[in-house]
Structure formats: C-alpha cells, structure tokens
Amino acid sequence: MESIRFNTRLLLCLCILYSTYSYNVTDEDLLFKDLFTNYNKELRAGNDRDYPLNVSMSFYLFAIKEFDEATSKFTVNGVFVTTWRDERLSWDPTNYNNITRTLMSQDKIWLPNLVSTNPFEDIYGLGSSLVKIYLYYDGSCVWTTMQSFEVICDADVTNYPFDKQYCSLNFVSYGYGEEWMKVTFTSSKILLTQYQESGLWDIEDTATFSRIANGLTEVVVGLNLKRRSAYYIAGLVLPMTIVAILQSFVFLLPNDSGERVGFSVTVLLASVVFLTIIQEKLPESSEPNISILGFLLFGYVSLGVLVTLCVILSSNMHMYEESKPVPAWLRVLFCLKRNKVDEDFSTGSTIRVASKEESRDEESISSSWKDVAKAFDRYCFISSLSLYALQFVIYFAIVL
C-alpha cells in the first residue's frame, strides 16, 4: 500500500514538473516577436566583425541519380548540413517558459550565400523556401538543405568501359571572402551512411574541403568514381569481339556454296551496328582522348572490310579458267606442287604425257587454281584470327 502511494506521489510530481517546463504557442510567438524586432537579415552573422564567421558543413550523399557522359550531366541527391552562430538570435530560455530551440523559415534570417559554380543548366543556390532551420537558444543555427544537384562533369572516356571519373559539386560564397567567412567541414570525406549503391558506379574515394579562389570562399565536394564494367563486358565487348571473330570463319565455307560474300557482308554490318551503339554512348568531344574501345571497333571493322575483299579475291581465283597457268610465285608462296610436263626435245615443243598420265596432268591443271584458292583461304583464316586476337589482347593490356 505504501509503495502505491509513493508511486502515485512520484507520478504527480513528474506531471507538475513537466507542466512547469513545457511551453505553448503563445510563448513561441512571443519569442519570435522579440527575436525579429530590429533584426536585419542583410547583415552577416557574428558580433565581432574583426574575425570571419565560422561556418561548419558536412555533406551526406543519398544516391547517384544520373551520369550522362555524352552531355556531361552529373546528378546526385544529397543534403548539406550547415551550422553557424548568430548571437542576435539568442535568448534566455527562462524568459520564454524554457524554450531551448525552435524552427523557422530560412527566408527570415541571414544565410551563408552559397551558389553553384558548375551548374548543368540554371544557376542555383542551397536551400529553398520549404526548408526550415533549427534555431537554438545560444544563437546556433542548423540548416539542413536536401536537394538534387545537377552539375557539369566532363567525362574522360579514354578507357571506357573501364574508365574512372572525377566529378565535383562546386559552390562559392559570393560577397564573402576569407576575411568575412571561414568554412570548414566536420569530415574530410562525404558521409555515406544514407547512401544507396549505384548500379553503374562504384565510389572509390571522396573529398570535402573549402579553399580560397579569386578572393572568395569555395566549397568543393568531390567524388572519384569507377564504372562497374561487368555489364559492358558481357553485353558489349565480348559480343562485339565474337561477332568480329566470326567473320574469319567465312574462309571455311566452300567456294561453291555461293554464300561466302553474303555471310561476310552481314557480319561486317553487325560490327558497324556495334560501332554506332558505342558512338551514341560517348561524348562528341575528343578531349582529353578518344575512347580506345572506338579504336578497337574501328580495327574490327577495318579488318572485316579486308576479310570481305579477300573473300571476293578467293572466289575469283576459284573461278579462273582451267587453261590459265598458275604463276610460279604463287606456287612458291602457297607451297603448291609443280605440274608434271614432258617436253619433246625433238620438235622443240612441250607436249602432255599420253594416255593415263595425260588425263592425270589435265586434271591437275584444271584444279590448280582451286588449290591456290584453298591455300589462300587457309592463310587468310589463320591471319585474320591472329589479328583479331592481337587487337583484343592489346586493348585489354592498355585499359587494365
């Protein structure tokens, strides 16, 4: 029974204490009237004008929204948390029923004027009319500005799709130099506690810092990005290489099939389609360098054109007339056996061997150009495969 009475008294005391220290809207309204009487938001915060105002910042990255290399558009979602102290907005909590903090619109007080210096389209600053600022009794202001930041980021696509990029959000405090305002970051890195992983980019490193540029305080938030290349290897580089190598196998098709030229041209067109796809993804500018992948595909297409020409030449050799002799240099080049002939020294003319030997020699003469075409196909097949493989190896040796 005694314990119940004790608990009841304790609860009553707590309720009385809570009601004593709680405040209502009248108290907060009175606080606002007193704070903004004779307050001029055009004047920089800070009573001591001989020293710059200390502004502390941190940046939380939420997501990488977009990175379009062709247009150099880089978009991220994040939030800046900015704190400073304005002594004009301080108060004694005991005079306002123990109010220790309140919320107010950012339009009512002085703000650090930070404006983007590398916007993609329109110039913009931090915050909006919808943002509220936490104001504490000692004059401390906490300004949380969540935005979607669109900036220009010139992509270096030299090693695409194994490239690394550096993009940054740059802001300058126009009108406030180093003698007026000093900006520091609570962390030298971007805070990634709320970050959602991007499907296309890995964040290798980040940096947040302020510096003096042309007498103005500049705030920089930088990201070192590395492209996730697995998708591009499986969906672009390997299919492109396989299609290119497939063209070499045209030399294994029989010349009598009549499909060799059509097959070669079809595969060549497929390589051109891949080239078009890649060119659409890359920026038109050639600075600082053109993508090495573009050179690789250009090599594939050029070799494909050469393969097509060789196929046409091989088909022509296969259709040469039987009576046309094979030049000696071709026999040597392709290691072909010399035709058997028998010379009649009595008449000074060359005659073919009679009966069965004559028929065998005639058959050898009629098939000699076909032998040249077959040997030429073998040579082109091995050479083209070697050249495709060499290009592929050189490309990966450069980009990796």
Side-chain angles (χ1 to χ4, degrees):
M1 190 68 177
E2 290 296 330
S3 61
I4 296 176
R5 289 178 181 176
F6 176 77
N7 292 335
T8 303
R9 291 173 182 173
L10 179 61
L11 180 61
L12 181 60
C13 292
L14 291 175
C15 291
I16 295 173
L17 185 64
Y18 177 77
S19 63
T20 302
Y21 286 93
S22 63
Y23 63 90
N24 53 38
V25 66
T26 304
D27 300 321
E28 195 166 11
D29 183 62
L30 178 61
L31 172 63
F32 270 59
K33 290 179 181 178
D34 292 343
L35 287 177
F36 293 102
T37 299
N38 299 323
Y39 179 84
N40 189 351
K41 68 176 184 179
E42 299 298 327
L43 298 178
R44 176 182 63 87
N47 283 335
D48 195 343
R49 316 304 276 187
D50 293 331
Y51 296 94
L53 175 68
N54 290 319
V55 177
S56 177
M57 300 186 72
S58 58
F59 182 74
Y60 292 82
L61 180 65
F62 291 163
I64 298 175
K65 185 178 179 181
E66 180 185 7
F67 188 11
D68 189 344
E69 299 90 340
T71 60
S72 299
K73 180 181 179 181
F74 180 64
T75 308
V76 296
N77 295 335
V79 56
F80 278 101
V81 179
T82 309
T83 61
W84 68 94
R85 188 179 180 190
D86 192 341
E87 292 85 352
R88 297 172 296 172
L89 299 176
S90 60
W91 70 90
D92 186 356
T94 59
N95 296 334
Y96 302 95
N97 207 2
N98 291 302
I99 299 177
T100 58
R101 70 172 184 173
T102 186
L103 279 171
M104 64 179 59
S105 174
Q106 72 170 37
D107 297 332
K108 288 183 172 294
I109 68 173
W110 176 88
L111 298 174
N113 188 24
L114 295 173
V115 180
S116 175
T117 58
N118 61 337
F120 181 73
E121 291 183 349
D122 298 332
I123 297 176
Y124 59 89
L126 292 183
S128 70
S129 58
L130 301 176
V131 174
K132 300 293 183 179
I133 295 179
Y134 274 104
L135 180 61
Y136 293 85
Y137 70 93
D138 62 348
S140 297
C141 302
V142 179
W143 185 30
T144 303
T145 53
M146 182 172 64
Q147 291 179 235
S148 182
F149 302 95
E150 291 184 356
V151 298
I152 295 176
C153 180
D154 293 327
D156 181 1
V157 294
T158 304
N159 295 328
Y160 175 90
F162 304 95
D163 52 321
K164 297 180 180 180
Q165 307 293 341
Y166 174 77
C167 297
S168 64
L169 312 178
N170 294 5
F171 294 87
V172 165
S173 179
Y174 286 105
Y176 297 105
E178 55 183 332
E179 72 278 5
W180 289 88
M181 187 171 67
K182 181 180 180 182
V183 179
T184 58
F185 277 88
T186 58
S187 173
S188 61
K189 304 290 184 181
I190 293 176
L191 302 176
L192 302 176
T193 55
Q194 304 296 324
Y195 175 66
Q196 297 180 356
E197 289 289 338
S198 170
L200 295 178
W201 297 96
D202 280 325
I203 299 179
E204 288 195 320
D205 195 13
T206 62
T208 56
F209 58 92
S210 63
R211 61 189 178 189
I212 304 301
N214 298 323
L216 300 176
T217 301
E218 183 179 19
V219 173
V220 180
V221 176
L223 296 93
N224 292 97
L225 306 175
K226 180 181 180 181
R227 191 188 300 273
R228 297 178 184 266
S229 56
Y231 165 78
Y232 298 95
I233 294 175
L236 184 63
V237 178
L238 289 182
M240 178 182 69
T241 302
I242 291 173
V243 169
I245 292 177
L246 183 63
Q247 194 162 18
S248 296
F249 289 85
V250 70
F251 295 108
L252 299 183
L253 288 176
N255 261 304
D256 296 329
S257 65
E259 301 292 334
R260 300 182 64 168
V261 176
F263 175 85
S264 181
V265 172
T266 301
V267 176
L268 180 61
L269 290 177
S271 298
V272 174
V273 169
F274 275 111
L275 179 61
T276 304
I277 293 174
I278 291 177
Q279 293 303 320
E280 290 178 353
K281 291 180 175 292
L282 301 181
E284 296 179 0
S285 174
S286 60
E287 294 294 336
N289 292 301
I290 300 176
S291 173
I292 299 176
L293 183 61
F295 286 112
L296 174 66
L297 191 51
F298 177 74
Y300 284 168
V301 173
S302 300
L303 187 55
V305 172
L306 182 60
V307 167
T308 303
L309 295 177
C310 290
V311 167
I312 295 174
L313 179 59
S314 175
S315 299
N316 285 335
M317 287 191 295
H318 182 78
M319 300 299 296
Y320 277 167
E321 297 179 359
E322 300 177 359
S323 59
K324 188 175 181 179
V326 178
W329 64 272
L330 280 180
R331 295 196 194 98
V332 175
L333 179 63
F334 297 114
C335 300
L336 298 177
K337 293 182 179 180
R338 191 180 185 87
N339 294 328
K340 295 180 180 180
V341 294
D342 187 21
E343 295 182 352
D344 184 1
F345 293 99
S346 60
T347 61
S349 61
T350 303
I351 60 172
R352 307 192 192 283
V353 180
S355 65
K356 295 182 180 180
E357 292 183 0
E358 181 178 350
S359 63
R360 283 198 301 268
D361 284 341
E362 289 177 354
E363 183 178 356
S364 175
I365 294 173
S366 63
S367 63
S368 60
W369 279 108
K370 293 183 179 181
D371 293 338
V372 172
K374 290 180 180 180
F376 181 71
D377 287 342
R378 288 194 300 268
Y379 174 81
C380 291
F381 175 70
I382 296 173
S383 299
S384 60
L385 277 182
S386 301
L387 290 175
Y388 280 124
L390 181 62
Q391 292 181 80
F392 186 76
V393 171
I394 292 176
Y395 169 72
F396 275 95
I398 294 175
V399 299
L400 294 182

